[in-house]
Amino acid sequence: MPLYAIVCTDVPGSLALRRPHREAHLARLRALQEEGRLVLAGPFPAVDAADPGPAGFTGSLIVAEFPSLEEAEAWAAEDPYRRHGVYREVTVRPFKRVLP
């Protein structure tokens, strides 16, 4: 199955918006993981620290398998962070894994 990179950019000051929807967001990622389709997922900290504290995050990256670009886009459109205004922009692109 082909891979797709879902690159998300947060709205400014998104930390307060992320909190109430985090568990629903993570549940969808866990479902991909349980299906063996998730390569990686995580946020971009707003500062160079493992825990950015109140600085929060500037976006997220998800790399996962989907049957098609259209299905990857549809999945991304239903993400709770997208639906509740955390992300100001979401780009879905085909991804070619070279290493490891």
Side-chain angles (χ1 to χ4, degrees), residues 10-98:
D10 284 18
V11 298
S14 64
L15 190 58
L17 292 171
R18 279 176 168 263
R19 287 183 175 135
H21 305 290
R22 184 171 189 266
E23 285 308 314
H25 170 76
L26 292 177
R28 295 180 83 240
L29 293 170
R30 285 187 197 106
L32 284 178
Q33 184 177 27
E34 289 169 6
E35 294 169 7
R37 297 171 43 202
L38 183 66
V39 174
L40 64 89
F44 299 116
V47 295
D48 188 13
D51 179 358
F57 302 94
T58 61
S60 302
L61 172 65
I62 301 162
V63 178
E65 295 178 339
F66 291 93
S68 68
L69 177 61
E70 293 78 17
E71 290 188 46
E73 289 171 335
W75 186 92
E78 291 301 314
D79 188 278
Y81 283 176
R82 178 92 183 257
R83 290 187 10 248
H84 294 284
V86 174
Y87 296 146
R88 72 171 167 82
E89 182 178 8
V90 175
T91 304
V92 181
R93 299 167 59 179
F95 181 80
K96 180 178 178 178
R97 184 177 186 166
V98 176

